[in-house]
Amino acid sequence: MGDIRLTRVEQGHTKIKNVPIAVTPEGFWCCPTPVGFQKSLKHQHPLNKLKPSSPPPKSSSQKKAVSLSERKSVPVPSRLVVSDAQQCNDPEEGPLTSTSVPTQRAPRPKLESMPKKVAIEFGEPGTCDMKLLLLGKQGFCVKLSVHKDVLTENSSFFSDKLSEESGLSCLQVDDCEDVEIYVEIVGLMYCKEVKQRLMKQSVSRILRILKVAEFLGFSSCIQSCLEYLEAVPWNGEEEEEKVISTVLRLQGEGIGVNPVLKRVSPDISNAPRDTLSHIVELVLKSNEERGRREMKSIVLKLLKENNSLPGNSGSADLCNGMINKSCRTCMDSLLCLFNQAAEPGFGDISSDNKEPVVKLIALEADNLSWLLEILVDKQAAEEFAIMWANQQELAALHGKLPIVFRYHISCISGRLYVGIGRGEVLPSKSTRQLLLQTWLQPLINDYNWLQHGCRSFDRKLVEEGIGRTILTLPLEDQQSILLSWVGSFLKTGDGCPNLQRAFEVWWRRTFIRPYVEGQNNPMSDS
């Protein structure tokens, strides 16, 4: 075992503290742990320096202890002020020069103005041929006794510096942002298995090591860090973003980082589109109710997150095309099932034989509702509205089926009316007219059942959506639809959608507003 020598750089501040460290066969310390390094800093805390204590005992290896009054009287600067040559000298080689010492006792400094300079020395000078000074911010200094051949062999940065001056015995690195990591990386240069030394360290610390290793040109350490990042799990999205941003920066400098990037980026350019298509197909074909419902919720949530990201319009168009294709498939399947259920002999068969058809109708209707929800969220449901408005054959078969078979279809129409009423779907006037012409009466026919037999049905929301959709049409079309509604409402009451608010708006537009405008327009009397 060896010792760490902790020294102050100013005269009169020498303090020797022995801390056990591991030493390599070459005589150099080997990667002190971060905990040990922080303990060294803790022992050097400024508050500890100002506490009265008895002077250390004299010994042959220590200089004469300075009295407490002298130590308090020397102001310690926030940065090192001695020359490079003085910094590279050992305390045994002679006293270090420093700024002049005042004869009078200086006032005790305030806590906020306490000095933060710490000087730590690693290594055994007798076995090394070079000193390395690492100067951090706020006056932090670490002196390392090192071997030139180790530095030049492992670091292109040190190799370039030492090749400029072959006889250099002391090298200084200024403004080190992370001195602790610099110290650890110099220690890693003495290790044969760098990757083993990185085991059990956090991802954030590995990223710090990677940054300094890149600056020093320590290629084997860079490779070991990348191998570590490729193998270790990343905790949370924030850590993942830090890893990817660091790796992409290295990629720009020509460093091979593909193994790490493969975790978040596929090799095939169209893989995301094909994968999404496959996922949607699996969900649509699933017959397990609970699993299908949960996966629909998960996929819908993730697609909403994708929609919030900018700059993906091209991929969004491809996704919309794939979803619309699935919609057509579901509508074709519904039409076949309706034709099968509308056959004259279908009502006479046993309920066990009817049940599979009923379940398939409910499944396809649920699939269409899910796909419509995706398109609405992506602001791309106009084509769906066109396809649904043109399903006249399906709407004609709707009245021939028992209500328990068909009511799921009316939920799709209701969701479209709600989307138009909210401004989430913006089909053309002709499409809106056709939607109401084709699907409003089937919805009215199913309305009583929807209120009492469909838990997900929101009566007020659908009624507001229908009314708002009607009010987007020309006044003559509003009149035609609302007068037809009045007849149904007077017959069935609560069994019919309550479009009273839309009726009142239409009434005011028709009978009140023209009269008010006529009174305010003097030209109308001429």
Side-chain angles (χ1 to χ4, degrees), residues 99-385:
T99 56
S100 59
V101 180
T103 56
Q104 297 181 353
R105 180 171 179 174
R108 182 168 182 169
K110 296 181 180 180
L111 180 63
E112 58 268 17
S113 61
M114 297 289 278
K116 298 181 180 179
K117 188 181 71 174
V118 179
I120 307 175
E121 182 172 346
F122 292 107
E124 296 188 357
T127 65
C128 301
D129 57 2
M130 184 178 175
K131 297 292 178 62
L132 176 63
L133 279 178
L134 302 173
L135 302 183
K137 296 184 177 181
Q138 297 179 332
F140 188 77
C141 171
V142 178
K143 182 191 290 186
L144 306 176
S145 297
V146 296
H147 302 81
K148 287 184 181 180
D149 57 343
V150 175
L151 265 61
T152 55
E153 181 181 351
N154 290 281
S155 168
S156 60
F157 173 82
F158 289 132
S159 178
D160 294 341
K161 293 293 182 183
L162 294 174
S163 64
E164 296 174 0
E165 298 184 44
S166 57
L168 195 64
S169 61
C170 179
L171 182 61
Q172 177 175 311
V173 182
D174 297 317
D175 297 326
C176 300
E177 292 185 1
D178 203 341
V179 175
E180 179 185 348
I181 299 300
Y182 273 84
V183 173
E184 181 169 355
I185 285 187
V186 173
L188 289 172
M189 294 181 185
Y190 284 80
C191 300
K192 293 182 179 179
E193 296 293 337
V194 176
K195 188 176 180 180
Q196 294 300 114
R197 298 294 309 181
L198 301 178
M199 296 291 289
K200 297 184 179 180
Q201 300 212 43
S202 66
V203 171
S204 60
R205 188 171 182 87
I206 294 297
L207 292 176
R208 290 166 61 193
I209 293 173
L210 181 58
K211 181 179 179 180
V212 178
E214 177 199 359
F215 173 76
L216 296 178
F218 189 2
S219 58
S220 62
C221 183
I222 294 173
Q223 185 60 36
S224 296
C225 289
L226 292 174
E227 291 175 2
Y228 175 94
L229 294 173
E230 189 276 331
V232 73
W234 303 333
N235 296 321
E237 294 183 2
E238 183 178 355
E239 187 169 271
E240 179 174 318
E241 290 295 331
K242 290 180 180 178
V243 172
I244 298 305
S245 61
T246 301
V247 168
L248 288 175
R249 180 172 52 80
L250 293 175
Q251 185 183 41
E253 298 178 6
I255 298 175
V257 295
N258 286 337
V260 180
L261 292 179
K262 282 183 178 180
R263 187 184 293 193
V264 297
S265 179
D267 292 332
I268 306 173
S269 59
N270 61 346
R273 183 191 64 188
D274 294 343
T275 304
L276 178 60
S277 176
H278 183 60
I279 292 172
V280 170
E281 184 179 357
L282 288 175
V283 174
L284 295 177
K285 291 183 177 180
S286 172
N287 292 320
E288 207 288 314
E289 183 177 356
R290 181 176 179 181
R292 184 179 70 251
R293 183 173 62 251
E294 291 187 3
M295 280 306 303
K296 284 181 176 180
S297 176
I298 292 171
V299 173
L300 182 60
K301 181 187 73 171
L302 294 175
L303 286 174
K304 286 183 178 180
E305 292 179 6
N306 287 2
N307 297 338
S308 63
L309 298 176
N312 61 344
S313 59
S315 58
D317 292 340
L318 295 174
C319 178
N320 296 344
M322 178 270 296
I323 294 175
N324 283 323
K325 182 179 179 181
S326 299
C327 291
R328 293 189 190 94
T329 302
C330 291
M331 290 180 191
D332 291 342
S333 177
L334 269 178
L335 183 59
C336 291
L337 291 168
F338 268 46
N339 277 315
Q340 183 178 349
E343 291 178 356
F346 186 80
D348 300 332
I349 63 177
S350 64
S351 57
D352 291 340
N353 293 327
K354 292 179 183 178
E355 187 176 358
V357 177
V358 176
K359 285 186 175 180
L360 284 175
I361 291 175
L363 174 62
E364 294 296 354
D366 185 64
N367 288 340
L368 274 175
S369 297
W370 178 59
L371 294 172
L372 174 58
E373 203 65 43
I374 293 174
L375 291 170
V376 168
D377 191 73
K378 294 170 69 64
Q379 300 178 354
E382 285 75 16
E383 186 171 347
F384 183 99

